[in-house]
Amino acid sequence: MPRYAMIIDLQRCVGCSACSIACRNENNVTDGIYWSNKITQTSGTFPNVRYHYMPTLCNHCQNAPCVRGCPTQAMHKLDNGITMHDPKKCIGCKYCEFNCPYGVIYFNWDTPHKTWRNSRPLIKGATSSPAEEVKKVRGKAIPYYNPEREATLPGIRPRGVVEKCTFCDHRTRKGNLPYCVEACPSDARIFGDINDPNSEVSKLLGKFRPFRLREQLGTEPHVFYIRDFNPANYQPSKGGI
Amino acid sequence: MSQTKKSKGLYGMWLGLLGVAIIIGMVAAFRLFTEGHGLFNTNDVIIWSLPLGVYIFLALTSSGLTILASIPLVFEVKKYDTVAKRLVFLAIATLMGGFVSIGLELGNVFHMIYNFISPNFSSPIWWIGFIYSIELLTLVLKFWRMHVGDWHSRFSKVLGNISFFGALVAPLMIGAVFGLTESRVTYFGPVMSIYCLLLAFLSGIALSLFYDLMYARVTGKDVSEKKVEICNEFTRIFSYALGTVIVFTILKITIESATFVPEFLNYHKFKHAFGAWRIFHTEVIFGLFLPFVLMAIPSLRVSNTARMMAAALTLLGTLAMHMEILLAGQSRPVGPKAEHYPEFLSYFPSIWEWLVFLLAVAVMLLLYTLGERYLNLEEAPA
Amino acid sequence: MKKKQNTLMKNFLSDIKFSRRTFIKASATAGAAVALGVELKPELKALASASGVASNVKGEWRPATCQGCTSWCSKQVYVVDGRAVKVRGNPNSKVNQGAGCPRSHMSLQQVYDPDRIKTPMKRTNPRKGRQEDPKFVPITWDEALNTIADKIMELRKNNETHKYMLMRGRYSYMRDILYSRMTKIIGSPNSISHSALCAEAEKFGPYYTEAYWGYRQYDVENTRYLLLWGADPLAANRQVSYYSKVWGDVIDRATIAVVEPRLSATAAKADEWLPIKPGQDSALAVAISHVLLATGLWYKPFVGDFIDGINRFIPSQYVDEDTFQEKYTHGIVKYWNLELRDKTPEWAAEITGLPVNQIKRVAVRYGKSAPHAISWLGGGPCMQVRGGYTSMAIHALNGIVGAVDNIGGTLKSNKEYTVNFPGEKPFMDDIAKTGKKHEKLDQRGRLQFPCIKKGKPGSGVITNNTADGIINGDPYDIKVAIGYMNNFAFSAPQPERWERALSKIPFLVHITTNASEFSWFSDIVLPDTHHMFEKWGYVKSIGNGYRHVTLMQPIIEPVWDYKTDETEIPWLIAEKLAERGFDNLLRHFKEYKDPETGKEPTNEKEFALYALKYATQNLWDPTKYQGGDKFNGWEDFLKVGVWNSKPYSYQKRWGKMKTKTGMFEFYSDTLKAALEKHAGNHNVTVDEVMKATNYLARGERAFIPHYEEPFIMGDEKEYPFIHVDHKSRLNREGRSANCSWYYDFKDVDPGDEVWDDVAKINPVDAQKLGIKNGDRVKLTSPTGNLVCTAKLWEGVRPGTVAKCYGQGHWAYGRLAAKKFGKIPRGGSSNDIIPAQYEALSGSSAYYGVTRIKVEKV
């Protein structure tokens, strides 16, 4: 059984968020919920300033606090290491969201894709309405609905349950890479089996000194970061007094 | 004659008032079930809000009442027998109020079934759900036994022991919900569990005291000497409980103010839900220090009005303290959520959250009222 | 109250009825559930029960082309059951190599935008203006086309066909049919493109140094130094996909320096950020050039050397031209004597606000990296009032270090083999010929508007001035106008002029996907196809040392009755004109025969397809093969979706450039000839041309790259800040404002915020003004104002305020506008940018052009 892990090469990352938008698309995620996200930082004061971008997603922790805390095992681990959620069992207590040290779990406070249910046209007779558009193209809740998501989760998670990144388990089980990995224009995401010493993931982990988010918590995240978003060169100097 | 008529009228009004409150609350509940929790002033940073705070408060208070009840029921301090049945009933009714609040906070009660068919023993939330379900069951059974006059059979005793044990463990588990979140350093550790247990006892005794005094005032019944003595002793216990919680609270606040761990520093930047003077939050001053001072003054300590006031302040104070603890730990977005939210969030309940509160309290008060009327709560074994 | 309850019930029911079958089941249990006070999560059940069916639907990746920006990437679209579901880069392209970008995904929200016009419509309110609701009502295609044909016939009847105008926005290379052929055959000179809003000044520098009028490709994978000037290739134009793909490796090999007053996405990952004062780029460029020459770092195999090898480029001293032997360049010594000799880093430091050390450091390291040292010319420094010479100065750096047409340098486009459509001449009757001779409405070629594209005065467009031409009826008034995929009432600086201009046109047609600000003033609005999913067409693009020709195809089931702007609609108009006795256009269109069958088109759909096959035949027809990728035929080409050129051949143009001298010109004989020709046209001197175009250079300096003090509108006392405009990595040319993803991810532009439109202010300035994060602020320039939110950010130069372009629509859709037709969402930068021009190229000035003041509101 593989143990999936992801490496994010910050030097390759250009901070464009194609991963996050593609994720929205692949998983039919409603607005305001970010399975794929980022942490940015503007450091320094003018003119010595840089902006840094670090992509984030569910870390699929080995010791996942969300799994430990879930009262009904709705949040659970798969054999391949993926932290998976079963909305059928979810009672909406949000303890996982409260518990997650990485801020990657979201709750469906409202009906997902609500704006698409509006049946009022902008210009009467000359434009359709969101609801009409969805119906006309035979979409589901949204016109660009991706039915492939349904293989392992409801295509759209209903109101009253939490949701988060699943490492695109519906794709990996068919031998496809997670969609954020595929959509990353700069090849900054490398995915694979960390148990296989010959996988790209294992090779890179051996080559660099990777770091993970909030490692001191002992959660054993399986999203690793290598290199730096801005590996800028500078003129050598000993400083001065 | 006119006295009864008047009180009858008042009683009808009171029931009417509760009925209206419950109807309003039911409408709110319907909207929550149809439209979802978008109606709450919550978001993915402030995840848990007033309904959860109310649940914690009521559930802990219920545990406090159960602990009090076990003084006669488990430890067989006979002189408290006369208050035992009422205490058990109050514990049940208060817990029911708590269940109303958590039910609406979850909004997904049907799926609670998975709590039983898919349990997770490492989850404090599961344990809370489990323990309080058992607790409710045993309390109801115990009350039934007492109601039929069976106070000391083996079965009745076992029930008493179980509910006492549950009342001790449940607050620890509620504390553990917070104490186990390593992501929120301000909560992490055993402190929250101990604190919850202390607060449970405090709000339990406060409610019991307040209820008794209020009951006496409303019914205008003459108070027996025995009862006065119990009341005096409960006041003393109340003062001790206040003192213990104060020591603990000061210790907690002092450590929090002295540390440089960033999460605690954020604690200081966070705009306190109810305001603060220096490092002391308003609810601590008025809900903890003030009642303690009131009860420390000998002339006031014996005044029933002062006692009622102190107890009421304590009840409001403990609810506020639960809210403060709940909100302070959530005021700052975790990880990438900081990208879409301000550095610190403040919270004020929406009308719908207030209505959940209203419904929970109304259900609880209705139960009190009906119980008092029909269940002969002052009954004690001969 | 009752109504509210009804909607409540409706919401509740719509929660449940995901499919008819589960609806019945769910509603039965829902009754019970409500009684119990529990929620059922009916959606979940409904979705779960439906999942078995939908998962079996097999999708297919079909080739497409994205025009969300001018990267013009080849794409693939995942189509399920006739429905577009996902987008990715086409791995068959050697330009973008399968790489995507963030904004391409939003095309899905565009194509299925519920606010797209689904049918032709006409205005019923005869009064036109910003405050006048057009009161559009739907009409049939037939009615719309008849009306248009009648209006055109009226012009022809009255011999005033020149009063017809065609305005072009986003186009494919099918453009010539509607833009050029149809306009000419009707008989008008007025085909007005949007190009001068886009980048013409950026092409000016490369043309007048190396005679290349076009976007460059940059050989980043082989370069050692990247000096970017107002270019943000990781976020904005061009080839975002390709550059994003390789940047992680480029960083390893090259030093990257970014010149820009705002910390851009590219600057975030750069080694050097040079936050220059807006408009002063040419000072930095000439100072770097000065250092390169003074320290002997010019690339001798390209530029040549002093005959005796002794460097005579000594600061402030003149050099004898005869002592230097140039190789593939022209006028390096003149450049030094006329401009560079006293342009020291110290001089530039004061003007640019950059440290002397940094200027020197960048210059020396740039020079030491020669010839693999790119000076990357973006729009920022040259889309300015005096940006023409900045464009030259920046591009001239490539000449000094020999990076032109070189490995790790700046490259032009590769050869491709598409062909032009049949000529229009035989179909232009006398009316048309006379009509076409009139002066163009944008007044190009007048003394103050040389617009010397490719050396020919008056050949470039000056898009934004067309509004003034219309308003003033100068040279004449316009009676019938068609605009397509353009939105000048939003995208052009000082758009209020366009509102007046468009209101004045008696009959205006807009071909568009959404009812935009431009549509608001139109008499007829025609629903356009979306380029990526619904249209036959092709575009060409360059990058990675290749050029690709990528196809646009109708690959999804059309949702409504859209028609294609550049092919189907002109055909349909031609049919209607023929019905009215003017069949020249239709006869011309019938010449676009299917190369495979030789059949002439009989309807608009065939016409669109045949026209594309006609133009691209050399690429797909194996019997006509000329180079690059080879296909077995049309079907094969369609399936792959993209043709790639041969790889780039370096240094092939050294000594053979199409300049007057054949060399890379520091002293531009090419520009001299062009300016003299323009001056001659008006019987004036070049100095007078300089004066008329607001340039300060006189004499010989007009022919060399040089420093010009920027022309920035507004008094410094009243307007203390300089406005810095920039583009979003989520902009699809200002057309993504109705996509929710645009707002939900807006903070991927460094410094910006989700669901907000912010003016980025340095905290030092903000403190002086008493402005806090999140305050509402009004930005006012001498020509307009906008209201947005203040954002305190260290990534902006004090004294400047940076604001992203893209929001501030007051039409376009329910999301784009806060209230459609009335209240904008955010503020449009163009509202504060005055209509000013870089007149030599005709470009609109967007950058370093105005001062503003900031007030709390």
Side-chain angles (χ1 to χ4, degrees):
Chain A
M1 187 46 88
R3 201 319 174 182
Y4 290 131
M6 187 184 290
I7 292 177
I8 296 180
D9 181 346
L10 295 172
Q11 182 173 324
R12 284 195 189 282
C13 174
V14 295
C16 74
S17 84
C19 46
S20 298
I21 302 180
C23 169
R24 276 280 172 86
N25 185 195
E26 174 71 30
N27 297 298
N28 307 314
V29 178
T30 190
D31 287 342
I33 293 184
Y34 302 80
W35 287 18
S36 165
N37 207 343
K38 84 269 179 208
I39 294 171
T40 63
Q41 191 191 346
T42 302
S43 55
T45 47
F46 183 89
N48 304 308
V49 188
R50 285 297 186 278
Y51 165 90
H52 304 271
Y53 184 107
M54 176 189 278
T56 59
L57 66 160
C58 173
N59 281 296
H60 297 277
C61 305
Q62 197 61 38
N63 307 318
C66 60
V67 170
R68 184 193 60 207
C70 177
T72 60
Q73 299 185 46
M75 198 68 85
H76 58 282
K77 295 297 288 183
L78 301 182
D79 293 341
N80 55 19
I82 289 175
T83 303
M84 191 64 195
H85 184 246
D86 179 357
K88 268 206 305 268
K89 291 184 181 176
C90 180
I91 61 170
C93 73
K94 306 177 277 291
Y95 188 39
C96 53
E97 185 175 4
F98 189 83
N99 225 339
C100 172
Y102 305 106
V104 300
I105 304 177
Y106 285 79
F107 184 67
N108 280 285
W109 299 99
D110 212 337
T111 305
H113 303 292
K114 203 172 186 178
T115 50
W116 282 101
R117 296 178 171 220
N118 189 331
S119 52
R120 183 186 60 85
L122 188 72
I123 302 169
K124 219 175 146 201
T127 65
S128 64
S129 69
E132 190 184 8
E133 190 79 12
V134 174
K135 203 174 145 205
K136 186 88 195 290
V137 303
R138 298 182 301 277
K140 205 183 274 180
I142 41 173
Y144 38 87
Y145 176 82
N146 175 23
E148 288 169 0
R149 179 64 266 189
E150 292 171 4
T152 62
L153 256 192
I156 293 166
R157 280 64 54 196
R159 165 158 60 73
V161 301
V162 297
E163 62 179 75
K164 66 157 198 73
C165 157
T166 68
F167 258 177
C168 277
D169 65 307
H170 62 296
R171 292 173 60 86
T172 49
R173 73 209 284 259
K174 289 200 290 189
N176 296 322
L177 289 169
Y179 198 54
C180 60
V181 177
E182 186 174 310
C184 175
S186 49
D187 299 336
R189 289 174 181 234
I190 303 101
F191 187 82
D193 176 9
I194 203 173
N195 285 345
D196 172 6
N198 291 317
S199 68
E200 281 307 311
V201 178
S202 300
K203 284 182 200 161
L204 286 170
L205 288 180
K207 180 163 184 170
F208 295 96
R209 195 193 63 174
F211 71 92
R212 295 174 285 179
L213 294 176
R214 301 183 79 173
E215 265 176 289
Q216 76 279 14
L217 297 179
T219 50
E220 295 290 322
H222 273 61
V223 173
F224 298 83
Y225 296 87
I226 57 171
R227 306 207 285 179
D228 198 352
F229 188 70
N230 186 349
N233 63 46
Y234 65 99
Q235 278 201 319
S237 156
K238 290 193 190 295
I241 296 160
Chain B
M1 181 71 188
S2 66
Q3 174 78 16
T4 7
K5 213 173 184 180
K6 197 174 148 205
S7 71
K8 243 189 179 165
L10 271 177
Y11 179 68
M13 258 176 70
W14 172 240
L15 276 189
L17 204 67
L18 287 179
V20 169
I22 286 174
I23 287 168
I24 294 173
M26 292 300 278
V27 170
F30 178 76
R31 280 208 68 178
L32 280 174
F33 286 133
T34 49
E35 282 180 46
H37 290 66
L39 296 172
F40 283 4
N41 274 354
T42 42
N43 50 47
D44 286 299
V45 177
I46 306 275
I47 300 163
W48 284 341
S49 61
L50 182 65
L52 193 90
V54 169
Y55 164 67
I56 292 177
F57 169 67
L58 293 180
L60 289 181
T61 305
S62 162
S63 295
L65 290 163
T66 311
I67 293 170
L68 272 178
S70 38
I71 300 176
L73 294 179
V74 176
F75 302 102
E76 301 190 10
V77 181
K78 290 260 188 262
K79 65 176 171 182
Y80 292 151
D81 274 358
T82 49
V83 295
K85 193 174 173 193
R86 178 174 284 133
L87 283 173
V88 171
F89 184 77
L90 289 184
I92 293 171
T94 310
L95 189 55
M96 289 301 285
F99 278 163
V100 167
S101 197
I102 192 67
L104 292 177
E105 140 73 27
L106 292 174
N108 221 327
V109 187
F110 234 47
H111 286 229
M112 296 280 278
I113 185 150
Y114 283 101
N115 238 30
F116 299 99
I117 61 174
S118 182
N120 180 7
F121 301 121
S122 64
S123 166
I125 295 236
W126 182 83
W127 281 107
I128 292 170
F130 176 74
I131 294 170
Y132 274 123
S133 303
I134 301 290
E135 184 82 343
L136 184 66
L137 187 71
T138 50
L139 283 175
V140 168
L141 286 175
K142 176 75 188 175
F143 185 80
W144 165 60
R145 291 319 302 161
M146 288 162 86
H147 194 63
V148 299
D150 166 22
W151 283 57
H152 297 297
S153 76
R154 207 185 149 83
F155 177 55
S156 187
K157 277 204 155 159
V158 166
L159 287 173
N161 289 345
I162 292 176
S163 55
F164 171 62
F165 185 71
L168 279 182
V169 176
L172 297 178
M173 274 299 166
I174 287 187
V177 167
F178 299 94
L180 266 171
T181 44
E182 46 272 271
S183 59
R184 299 170 197 266
V185 174
T186 51
Y187 291 146
F188 191 77
V191 172
M192 286 299 296
S193 285
I194 299 164
Y195 202 49
C196 280
L197 184 56
L198 292 178
L199 283 174
F201 189 70
L202 178 62
S203 56
I205 181 90
L207 181 70
S208 157
L209 197 61
F210 182 81
Y211 185 91
D212 277 345
L213 293 166
M214 182 59 98
Y215 177 73
R217 187 151 292 194
V218 169
T219 56
K221 276 186 193 161
D222 291 333
V223 183
S224 67
E225 212 168 290
K226 203 169 160 196
K227 274 213 85 172
V228 171
E229 197 191 318
I230 292 178
C231 194
N232 287 340
E233 284 176 20
F234 269 34
T235 305
R236 206 168 307 136
I237 299 176
F238 175 49
S239 301
Y240 293 154
L242 275 171
T244 316
V245 173
I246 284 173
V247 169
F248 200 90
T249 305
I250 290 179
L251 197 63
K252 187 168 168 279
I253 290 176
T254 318
I255 293 174
E256 281 165 11
S257 334
T259 181
F260 293 103
V261 173
E263 283 83 353
F264 282 98
L265 296 179
N266 293 327
Y267 232 64
H268 309 319
K269 278 205 229 168
F270 165 63
K271 217 168 137 221
H272 297 290
F274 309 97
W277 178 77
R278 301 282 166 93
I279 56 171
F280 297 109
H281 310 160
T282 311
E283 72 277 6
V284 171
I285 295 170
F286 290 102
L288 211 54
F289 294 170
L290 182 59
F292 184 73
V293 170
L294 287 177
M295 291 301 94
I297 299 170
S299 60
L300 290 178
R301 190 162 53 212
V302 295
S303 147
N304 280 348
T305 312
R307 284 171 175 176
M308 265 178 80
M309 212 160 97
L313 280 172
T314 306
L315 285 173
L316 288 174
T318 32
L319 173 59
M321 279 157 72
H322 286 305
M323 283 310 295
E324 177 80 44
I325 291 168
L326 194 59
L327 293 175
Q330 300 180 87
S331 65
R332 190 167 171 262
V334 175
K337 282 178 183 169
E339 296 289 315
H340 305 121
Y341 291 94
E343 200 183 350
F344 297 98
L345 276 78
S346 54
Y347 160 82
F348 190 83
S350 75
I351 176 74
W352 305 102
E353 291 167 285
W354 284 118
L355 290 178
V356 169
F357 184 22
L358 177 77
L359 181 64
V361 172
V363 164
M364 182 180 85
L365 291 179
L366 183 69
L367 288 174
Y368 287 178
T369 312
L370 297 176
E372 207 58 65
R373 187 134 188 122
Y374 301 112
L375 293 174
N376 192 15
L377 295 183
E378 292 197 20
E379 195 179 20
Chain C
M1 186 66 201
K2 184 147 186 223
K3 204 173 155 205
K4 215 166 168 190
Q5 257 171 8
N6 278 342
T7 47
L8 192 118
M9 260 336 270
K10 227 163 85 189
N11 284 347
F12 181 55
L13 290 177
S14 65
D15 271 356
I16 297 166
K17 61 172 177 200
F18 252 79
S19 79
R20 189 164 283 280
R21 191 162 50 87
T22 48
F23 172 57
I24 299 161
K25 219 169 83 187
S27 60
T29 37
V34 171
L36 290 168
V38 285
E39 192 201 28
L40 248 192
K41 288 202 290 187
E43 285 169 55
L44 177 54
K45 295 212 167 96
L47 289 172
S49 66
S51 65
V53 191
S55 306
N56 294 337
V57 178
K58 200 86 187 95
E60 187 195 350
W61 288 100
R62 294 185 187 159
T65 296
C66 181
Q67 289 193 298
C69 67
T70 45
S71 293
W72 292 353
C73 292
S74 190
K75 290 283 175 194
Q76 289 183 334
V77 175
Y78 195 62
V79 181
V80 178
D81 186 24
R83 191 166 55 86
V85 168
K86 294 188 244 184
V87 176
R88 71 178 182 194
N90 189 342
N92 298 313
S93 162
K94 287 179 180 159
V95 176
N96 55 278
Q97 306 167 70
C101 74
R103 62 170 75 92
S104 59
H105 301 284
M106 269 185 298
S107 59
L108 296 165
Q109 290 197 322
Q110 282 186 318
V111 68
Y112 296 128
D113 183 344
D115 298 336
R116 274 182 76 178
I117 311 297
K118 62 177 184 178
T119 167
M121 56 185 196
K122 70 173 180 195
R123 82 184 293 124
T124 55
N125 178 0
R127 288 189 306 274
K128 290 184 182 178
R130 171 87 173 253
Q131 308 305 330
E132 296 291 343
D133 185 335
K135 299 211 162 60
F136 285 123
V137 295
I139 54 172
T140 61
W141 272 101
D142 214 41
E143 183 186 342
L145 294 164
N146 280 333
T147 316
I148 295 167
D150 285 343
K151 294 286 178 185
I152 293 172
M153 289 309 291
E154 215 176 292
L155 293 181
R156 291 204 41 98
K157 201 176 77 197
N158 298 332
N159 276 324
E160 46 180 19
T161 52
H162 57 289
K163 297 189 172 178
Y164 168 84
M165 176 164 73
L166 188 284
M167 284 166 279
R168 183 182 90 192
R170 174 49 49 226
Y171 62 89
S172 80
Y173 284 95
M174 310 303 278
R175 65 188 180 190
D176 283 351
I177 295 167
L178 176 63
Y179 175 73
S180 163
R181 302 294 190 274
M182 180 167 136
T183 312
K184 285 175 184 162
I185 290 173
I186 288 173
S188 171
N190 288 313
S191 35
I192 304 291
S193 83
H194 76 292
S195 302
L197 297 179
C198 186
E200 297 309 84
E202 200 189 309
K203 300 170 186 167
F204 185 88
Y207 188 81
Y208 291 105
T209 49
E210 57 160 312
Y212 172 56
W213 189 274
Y215 300 127
R216 285 74 51 210
Q217 45 179 334
Y218 296 105
D219 193 13
V220 293
E221 289 177 79
N222 294 311
T223 201
R224 301 304 307 268
Y225 205 103
L226 265 172
L227 179 55
L228 296 106
W229 302 79
D232 195 6
L234 297 184
N237 255 337
R238 302 182 169 83
Q239 253 30 75
V240 175
S241 52
Y242 164 62
Y243 292 126
S244 296
K245 186 176 178 72
V246 297
W247 211 256
D249 290 332
V250 172
I251 285 177
D252 275 337
R253 289 191 282 264
T255 297
I256 299 171
V258 176
V259 184
E260 180 153 354
R262 161 198 72 110
L263 188 77
S264 65
T266 310
K269 287 179 80 75
D271 300 291
E272 300 266 4
W273 177 38
L274 299 100
I276 195 166
K277 283 186 189 163
Q280 305 291 7
D281 308 77
S282 57
L284 180 61
V286 294
I288 293 174
S289 303
H290 170 96
V291 174
L292 292 175
L293 296 192
T295 52
L297 286 172
W298 72 90
Y299 188 62
K300 282 141 197 132
F302 185 66
V303 181
D305 200 356
F306 287 98
I307 296 163
D308 57 7
I310 298 167
N311 187 2
R312 290 181 180 75
F313 292 129
I314 297 160
S316 82
Q317 291 189 15
Y318 288 96
V319 174
D320 182 354
E321 285 181 40
D322 295 335
T323 58
F324 198 99
Q325 176 83 50
E326 284 187 85
K327 280 185 108 165
Y328 300 109
T329 63
H330 171 69
I332 185 75
V333 177
K334 273 194 179 131
Y335 187 21
W336 172 264
N337 288 340
L338 287 166
E339 176 65 14
L340 299 182
R341 117 198 118 70
D342 55 356
K343 298 296 186 291
T344 60
E346 288 76 13
W347 166 84
E350 200 162 314
I351 294 176
T352 58
L354 299 169
V356 177
N357 284 344
Q358 192 179 29
I359 297 175
K360 284 184 180 163
R361 184 172 69 233
V362 168
V364 168
R365 290 186 66 169
Y366 178 70
K368 284 189 171 163
S369 307
H372 313 300
I374 291 169
S375 172
W376 186 317
L377 175 58
C382 37
M383 297 291 277
Q384 302 187 359
V385 177
R386 289 171 183 155
Y389 291 100
T390 312
S391 184
M392 288 176 78
I394 291 171
H395 197 64
L397 282 167
N398 290 311
I400 296 174
V401 296
V404 177
D405 205 34
N406 203 354
I407 300 164
T410 162
L411 317 176
K412 68 180 287 249
S413 50
N414 310 48
K415 200 162 169 42
E416 50 83 26
Y417 308 101
T418 58
V419 295
N420 285 334
F421 294 120
E424 71 281 348
K425 288 249 164 63
F427 301 91
M428 286 174 68
D429 58 14
D430 289 340
I431 301 175
K433 280 177 192 156
T434 321
K436 196 187 163 292
K437 283 190 186 126
H438 284 79
E439 187 187 1
K440 292 196 179 203
L441 208 79
D442 59 354
Q443 306 173 346
R444 70 182 76 168
R446 291 189 183 180
L447 177 61
Q448 72 274 30
F449 298 131
C451 303
I452 40 174
K453 178 182 177 180
K454 298 189 186 178
K456 291 190 279 291
S459 65
V461 66
I462 177 155
T463 316
N464 203 16
N465 196 49
T466 313
D468 298 281
I470 299 168
I471 292 169
N472 301 323
D474 177 14
Y476 44 81
D477 56 329
I478 285 293
K479 291 194 167 167
V480 176
I482 300 178
Y484 83 94
M485 285 313 283
N486 66 329
N487 191 9
F488 298 155
F490 176 79
S491 63
Q494 226 178 316
E496 165 275 334
R497 294 157 38 261
W498 278 100
E499 292 173 12
R500 281 185 286 139
L502 297 177
S503 299
K504 212 186 145 203
I505 298 174
F507 186 71
L508 179 63
V509 178
H510 197 207
I511 307 171
T512 180
T513 55
N514 289 56
S516 68
E517 287 78 2
F518 192 98
S519 315
W520 193 257
F521 305 92
S522 303
D523 296 271
I524 285 184
V525 183
L526 300 176
D528 199 357
T529 49
H530 189 284
H531 68 265
M532 191 151 153
F533 310 90
E534 299 168 336
K535 161 178 184 173
W536 287 114
Y538 76 96
V539 292
K540 319 173 230 184
S541 193
I542 49 173
N544 189 33
Y546 287 93
R547 187 176 210 172
H548 71 203
V549 174
T550 168
L551 287 179
M552 300 141 133
Q553 313 178 31
I555 47 172
I556 60 168
E557 213 170 273
V559 189
W560 306 104
D561 196 7
Y562 314 124
K563 302 229 182 281
T564 304
D565 42 24
E566 290 168 330
T567 49
E568 293 178 356
I569 291 173
W571 170 277
L572 291 167
I573 292 174
E575 279 185 340
K576 293 290 182 190
L577 291 175
E579 279 172 22
R580 284 157 178 74
F582 176 62
D583 66 352
N584 297 24
L585 189 58
L586 190 62
R587 282 194 289 116
H588 168 70
F589 286 164
K590 287 192 171 163
E591 287 206 321
Y592 297 55
K593 296 191 175 95
D594 183 348
E596 283 184 306
T597 62
K599 279 206 306 205
E600 61 182 37
T602 60
N603 59 41
E604 79 276 14
K605 293 227 171 336
E606 284 177 6
F607 174 63
L609 177 61
Y610 296 173
L612 176 61
K613 287 170 85 171
Y614 181 97
T616 57
Q617 190 182 0
N618 289 342
L619 308 183
W620 54 264
D621 188 341
T623 64
K624 301 220 165 192
Y625 178 75
Q626 298 195 37
D629 288 358
K630 199 169 181 177
F631 296 98
N632 295 328
W634 175 246
E635 289 301 321
D636 189 21
F637 186 30
L638 272 188
K639 218 164 60 207
V640 175
V642 60
W643 169 93
N644 298 289
S645 72
K646 281 183 283 199
Y648 200 85
S649 306
Y650 299 104
Q651 299 181 8
K652 280 280 166 355
R653 289 163 55 238
W654 284 18
K656 284 177 268 178
M657 288 168 182
K658 296 210 169 112
T659 51
K660 291 279 173 219
T661 58
M663 301 295 167
F664 185 93
E665 296 182 342
F666 297 112
Y667 180 91
S668 183
D669 280 9
T670 313
L671 180 57
K672 187 176 181 180
L675 284 174
E676 280 171 352
K677 192 167 175 206
H678 181 68
N681 287 348
H682 296 277
N683 289 318
V684 295
T685 62
V686 169
D687 278 357
E688 279 168 291
V689 172
M690 287 290 107
K691 194 169 166 223
T693 54
N694 207 350
Y695 274 105
L696 302 172
R698 298 293 181 266
E700 291 274 277
R701 274 164 57 88
F703 314 130
I704 54 156
H706 63 265
Y707 170 67
E708 291 260 343
E709 190 191 317
F711 177 84
I712 304 177
M713 285 186 71
D715 174 55
E716 192 172 346
K717 279 221 178 73
E718 192 183 352
Y719 303 102
F721 297 97
I722 301 179
H723 170 241
V724 174
D725 177 69
H726 69 93
K727 310 294 184 258
S728 168
R729 65 197 336 163
L730 298 183
N731 276 6
R732 292 180 61 81
E733 300 194 320
R735 293 190 192 91
S736 39
N738 209 40
C739 305
S740 64
W741 291 342
Y742 183 81
Y743 302 98
D744 235 23
F745 294 97
K746 188 66 184 70
D747 61 337
V748 296
D749 295 313
D752 276 13
E753 297 285 337
V754 293
W755 292 95
D756 208 346
D757 197 11
V758 298
K760 296 179 278 291
I761 306 168
N762 189 284
V764 173
D765 289 331
Q767 204 188 358
K768 281 185 216 152
L769 295 169
I771 287 172
K772 292 188 307 294
N773 243 343
D775 283 349
R776 295 292 288 167
V777 287
K778 184 164 150 188
L779 312 185
T780 310
S781 77
T783 57
N785 64 68
L786 65 83
V787 176
C788 63
T789 306
K791 170 72 186 278
L792 275 55
W793 197 49
E794 288 292 348
V796 263
R797 182 180 182 85
T800 70
V801 172
K803 165 93 186 36
C804 189
Y805 166 78
Q807 298 186 59
H809 279 281
W810 51 270
Y812 212 80
R814 67 186 71 207
L815 204 51
K818 209 168 191 178
K819 192 152 188 236
F820 181 72
K822 293 195 171 68
I823 306 165
R825 179 184 296 279
S828 175
S829 309
N830 283 330
D831 285 339
I832 54 172
I833 301 177
Q836 289 286 330
Y837 305 95
E838 195 297 294
L840 297 182
S841 65
S843 295
S844 278
Y846 281 88
Y847 313 101
V849 63
T850 189
R851 298 189 150 273
I852 55 170
K853 62 180 169 191
V854 182
E855 299 157 298
K856 252 207 272 196
V857 288

